[in-house]
Amino acid sequence: MTPHHQATKSSLNTRLREQVCDTCTTRPPVELFDCRPFARMVLGSNVIVRYLDGWALCSACAGLVRSRSWQALITRVVNRTRHTLGVPNAAIRAELTDLFNHLDQHLTGQSTPLDGAQ
């Protein structure tokens, strides 16, 4: 790895650590899960969303993804976001089930701790 590449990777890790978890919005994400690109249609719409890179996850969500505990992850996300989304729980659960099914199929099995993660 070249020094330039190391600096780029370090700055990416720093930026990711300043963000929120890609699933539940908890701060900070501690692990980046590699994922092959995929696209899916948002349920009940004509909107296609493309997911092009890895998912930065907090410690709790990372553990659930690692163990493939998708229903527990859905419950965690619903409990953390239901007040802000203004969408019925059943609709949120259906959308998350579809999203996480796609995620499960596209995870590479590789993950990287983000700088500063414990």
Side-chain angles (χ1 to χ4, degrees), residues 81-96:
T81 61
R82 67 178 167 211
H83 303 293
T84 59
L85 293 178
V87 178
N89 281 355
I92 296 170
R93 285 185 175 281
E95 188 65 35
L96 291 173

Side-chain angles (χ1 to χ4, degrees), residues 63-116:
L64 295 171
V65 167
R66 199 174 298 103
S67 66
R68 301 298 207 262
S69 300
W70 301 113
Q71 290 304 313
L73 182 60
I74 289 168
T75 298
R76 175 176 172 74
V77 174
V78 167
N79 287 341
R80 292 197 48 83
T81 61
R82 67 178 167 211
H83 303 293
T84 59
L85 293 178
V87 178
N89 281 355
I92 296 170
R93 285 185 175 281
E95 188 65 35
L96 291 173
T97 297
D98 185 64
L99 173 59
F100 294 157
N101 282 338
H102 279 82
L103 178 61
D104 189 29
Q105 294 170 15
H106 292 86
L107 287 170
T108 66
Q110 303 292 318
S111 66
T112 305
L114 298 174
D115 290 345

Side-chain angles (χ1 to χ4, degrees), residues 28-82:
V30 298
E31 196 166 349
L32 183 64
F33 282 76
D34 292 335
C35 186
R36 292 181 305 281
F38 66 93
R40 59 178 283 278
M41 188 170 290
V42 175
L43 298 179
S45 77
N46 291 326
V47 176
I48 296 175
V49 179
R50 298 185 196 294
Y51 301 87
L52 302 176
D53 50 21
W55 288 53
L57 303 178
C58 70
S59 178
C61 290
L64 295 171
V65 167
R66 199 174 298 103
S67 66
R68 301 298 207 262
S69 300
W70 301 113
Q71 290 304 313
L73 182 60
I74 289 168
T75 298
R76 175 176 172 74
V77 174
V78 167
N79 287 341
R80 292 197 48 83
T81 61
R82 67 178 167 211

Side-chain angles (χ1 to χ4, degrees), residues 16-21 24-30 58 80:
L16 286 171
R17 292 279 299 157
E18 294 169 354
Q19 301 300 315
V20 297
C21 175
C24 77
T25 70
T26 295
R27 249 181 235 283
V30 298
C58 70
R80 292 197 48 83

